[in-house]
Amino acid sequence: PISLEQLMLFLPLLWIASAYAFVAYYWLALIGAAFLIGRILYLRGYVADPAKRSAGFGVGFLPILALIVIDLVGIVLLWVHS
């Protein structure tokens, strides 16, 4: 369930970020790969010991924070240049 909650936040942010020309697509692909790696680490940590899942959560949440920053910068740039 937690992966679905993260995915519902991640995908729209990724789609919005892909609309901005100032971000190269390979950076978005790297952010997507980091998100997937974080979710895998979260799963492995949760299965082994639920107390060890925080590293995977952190690695999986950093791409979401990066996408929020990219989206906000894109919105501000569009607002300033229009």
Side-chain angles (χ1 to χ4, degrees):
I2 201 91
S3 290
L4 289 178
E5 294 168 357
Q6 296 282 326
L7 197 61
M8 296 304 287
L9 183 61
F10 178 76
L11 285 179
L13 289 171
L14 184 64
W15 291 329
I16 293 169
S18 69
Y20 301 127
F22 71 91
V23 180
Y25 288 119
Y26 60 86
W27 285 113
L28 296 176
L30 287 174
I31 289 172
F35 177 77
L36 290 176
I37 290 168
R39 298 319 303 161
I40 292 168
L41 291 174
Y42 180 86
L43 173 69
R44 292 184 71 185
Y46 190 81
V47 169
D49 180 17
K52 296 181 180 179
R53 63 186 176 192
S54 60
F57 178 79
V59 172
F61 197 70
L62 285 176
I64 291 175
L65 291 177
L67 289 174
I68 289 172
V69 169
I70 290 170
D71 290 349
L72 290 175
V73 168
I75 290 169
V76 169
L77 287 176
L78 286 175
W79 182 60
V80 167
H81 292 290
S82 62

